[in-house]
Amino acid sequence: MSGPRSDVVITDFISNPNLEREILRDVADVRVLNATREDELAGRIETADAIIPYHYIVISAPTLNRLRNCKVIARGGVGFDNVDVARARELGIPVCNVPDYGTEDVADSAVGMAVSMIRGVAFLNSRLRASRGPWSPSQAAPLQRIRGSVFAIIGLGRIGTAAALRAKALGMDVCFYDPYKPDGYAKALGIRRVESLEETLGQAFTLSVHCPLTDETRHMIDAEAVALMPEGSYLVNTARGAIVDTSAIPDAVASGRLAGAGIDVFEWEQLKEDDPLVVAWRDPGHPAHHRVLLTPHSAFYSEQSLMDLRASTAETCRRALLGQPLRNIVNLPATTGP
Ligand code: NAD
C-alpha cells in the first residue's frame, strides 16, 4: 500500500499490541494508550484513523466530536454500552463489535458453574477444606441427578444456544425464554420454548441468564423472581450484572430456595466489599459461603478467546482502512464501506 500509514489506537486493556501490529503491518501503525479514564484520551486520539476500545474506557460524544479521521471504532468485546454509538452514527463512524470470540468459553463457564454446583463439587470442596461436616457425601444431600433436570435459558442468542447444546449433551431438559426469537429454534435444537418468564422461573432447576442488559432486563431476576423458582434450584449469571439483583441471593440461599448461585458479572465490576452478596459469600457462617461461586467477569476468558478477540478487532480496522465492507456494525445504517 502506498501513501501515509494509518494510525490505529488501542485505548486500554492491551499493552503489548504485537498481534495487532502483525495483522496491520502493511497498513497502519498501532499505538497503545493504556488509558483507564476517558479524559486521558484528550490530545492522544484525535488523529486516529481507527480506534480499538476495550472495557476500561468510555467513549462518549465529546470525545467522538474531536475525531478528525476516524473510519471505524472496533470495540474489543460483545457489549458496546461504553461507546456512544448513536453519536458515532451521526458522525458517520461505524462501530463494530466482536460477537463471537467467547461464545464457547462463556457457555462452558455457565454450564461448568452449574455442574459443579449441582454435583456438589463446589459445596463439598468448600466445606471440607474448612473442616466443616463429615468426610462423606451426606452433608451435600439431597443432590439431584443432572439428567432429566430442567435447564432454563433466558436469551437464546449465541451464548444461550451454545449453553443449550452443552446442557442437552448432559441429558438435561432444556427450555428457553426469549420473546425476540422467531419460531423454529426450539425444533432446530430439540429444546422447549416457554412463553413467559414466570413459567420459565417456575420450572427452572437451573436458570442460566444469557440475555443482554436492557431497560427491560434490568433486575429481571430479583427477589420476587427467585421466589418463583423451585425449592433447591440453581442460578447462574454470566450475562450482565444488573440483570440479576444479587442482593436477593443471600436470603434465597439461606432459605434453601436456591441451592447455589454462580455469578460472573456484577452491577459494579471492581470488587465491592460491602455488597450484600460479597459479605455473605465471605462470611464462613453464612450458607452462601459454601454455596455461591463468584468470578470476576472471567467467563469469556481463555488464551484462545483473547487472541480471537484481538485478531477480530485488528481485522475490522484493516477492512475499514482498506475501504472493504465491514461486518458486525452495531450502529447501522452508518457508513458500511464501498
Ligand atoms: P446475543 O445478542 O447473541 O443473544 C442475546 C439473546 O437475548 C437474543 O436472542 C435476544 O433476543 C435475547 N433477549 C433480549 N431481550 C430479552 C428479554 N427481555 N428476555 C429474554 N431474552 C431476551 O448475545 P450473546 O453474544 O449470546 O451474549 C449474551 C450475554 O452474554 C450478553 O449479556 C453479553 O453481554 C454477555 N457476555 C458476557 C461475557 C462474560 O465474560 N461474562 C462475555 C461475552 C458476552
Side-chain angles (χ1 to χ4, degrees), residues 157-159 178 180 210-212 216-217 238 240 264 297 300:
R158 293 172 291 263
I159 296 170
D178 188 332
Y180 301 105
H210 298 291
C211 56
E216 198 182 20
T217 64
T238 57
R240 278 292 178 266
D264 181 57
H297 199 148
F300 75 92

Side-chain angles (χ1 to χ4, degrees), residues 53-54 57-60 64 73 75 80-86 88 95:
Y54 280 84
I57 207 80
V58 168
I59 306 222
S60 61
L64 292 168
I73 295 177
R75 161 75 184 109
F80 43 85
D81 36 284
N82 57 336
V83 179
D84 186 340
V85 295
V95 179

Side-chain angles (χ1 to χ4, degrees), residues 243-299:
I243 301 168
V244 174
D245 177 1
T246 52
S247 68
I249 293 175
D251 283 354
V253 171
S255 73
R257 174 65 52 190
L258 289 180
I263 305 293
D264 181 57
V265 282
F266 301 86
E267 281 191 77
W268 39 268
E269 291 262 295
Q270 293 299 317
L271 182 67
K272 219 168 108 195
E273 294 286 353
D274 61 350
D275 181 275
L277 181 59
V278 172
V279 170
W281 171 74
R282 283 212 192 285
D283 175 2
H286 196 289
H289 186 68
H290 304 291
R291 293 192 176 276
V292 169
L293 303 177
L294 302 187
T295 48
H297 199 148
S298 53

